[in-house]
Amino acid sequence: EFHDVTLLFADIAGFTKFASEALADEVVKLLSKLCTEFDKMCLKYQVYKVYTIGDGYVVMEFTDKDKRNPGKEAKNVVQMALAMIDIIIVTKKEINFEKLNMRIGIHTVSYQIILSLNPFCDLLGTLIGGIFSTDIVRYDIYGPEVLIANKMESSGEERQINESERTKYWLENEYPGEFQFTPH
């Protein structure tokens, strides 16, 4: 069990429009390039890519349970988000498609995360993570807290990071004055 795990949901805004106007191989090359760059940032900021789905990218951050610092972990995720926005800014100039952008939501789970091989337990107020299947395994996360992180992204604005109060709490307490917040 872990407390105060930070999640990031990112969506490539304008991707559907780009995909409708581009050749199929251009779409695949763009997604491959972006995911490769995002993956490099995961390594740089020590976050874990949970999965990609279409033009969505999901990250979570927690380190060794004995060496946890939720404030630093939240900062790592925010730095990842800022890097993703920078990558999109450069990429949209390279492909000459100004409507390409990122929309990012970040939420720090204020309850517990259960890492389990039995992902079918239902604990209200938790984020549940587990390994599914036996032949083609996949680690996945779900639960009410995942929906909050997803809603932080979908209700956010392009080129902005929409953070939950819990993430803001950790950043303000661990890094006072380093980040600017605007109510949304």
Side-chain angles (χ1 to χ4, degrees):
E1 294 183 13
F2 297 87
H3 297 269
D4 295 304
V5 174
T6 301
L7 304 175
L8 174 150
F9 271 71
D11 181 68
I12 304 171
F15 178 77
T16 303
K17 177 84 170 142
F18 173 79
S20 70
E21 297 174 5
L23 298 173
D25 67 327
E26 293 173 324
V27 174
V28 171
K29 285 178 187 174
L30 175 64
L31 275 180
S32 178
K33 176 189 183 326
L34 289 173
C35 286
T36 299
E37 292 300 314
F38 296 161
D39 289 352
K40 288 177 187 176
M41 293 300 106
C42 284
L43 295 172
K44 180 177 180 178
Y45 295 111
Q46 301 175 342
V47 299
Y48 174 74
K49 176 175 82 172
V50 179
Y51 56 80
T52 59
I53 183 164
D55 61 341
Y57 197 92
V58 179
V59 166
M60 67 188 292
E61 162 59 305
F62 64 90
T63 54
D64 184 311
K65 69 179 180 176
D66 298 323
K67 300 176 185 176
R68 300 253 355 263
N69 179 338
K72 174 66 174 147
E73 293 169 11
K75 183 179 181 182
N76 288 351
V77 172
V78 170
Q79 289 175 313
M80 170 73 183
L82 292 168
M84 293 174 87
I85 291 170
D86 289 343
I87 289 166
I88 282 290
I89 290 169
V90 169
T91 301
K92 72 183 187 177
K93 289 178 183 171
E94 290 174 355
I95 65 169
N96 195 27
F97 193 79
E98 274 304 307
K99 294 181 180 178
L100 206 61
N101 257 310
M102 291 300 297
R103 192 174 48 247
I104 299 173
I106 297 177
H107 172 56
T108 301
V109 176
S110 57
Y111 300 99
Q112 61 187 354
I113 176 170
I114 308 291
L115 301 176
S116 170
L117 293 178
N118 178 9
F120 299 104
C121 56
D122 185 20
L123 300 170
L124 186 61
T126 61
L127 177 145
I128 302 164
I131 298 172
F132 296 82
S133 191
T134 55
D135 295 327
I136 302 173
V137 296
R138 178 176 179 208
Y139 180 81
D140 201 359
I141 56 176
Y142 61 98
E145 299 290 320
V146 175
L147 294 176
I148 293 170
N150 187 284
K151 291 296 182 189
M152 295 302 296
E153 174 271 310
S154 64
S155 65
E157 297 177 14
E158 293 179 3
R159 290 181 56 180
Q160 301 293 318
I161 301 167
N162 198 19
E163 296 177 355
S164 69
E165 282 294 320
R166 188 71 178 168
T167 305
K168 181 178 180 262
Y169 163 84
W170 280 110
L171 294 172
E172 285 182 325
N173 284 300
E174 295 286 321
Y175 304 95
E178 190 168 331
F179 298 96
Q180 295 177 347
F181 300 93
T182 304
H184 174 65

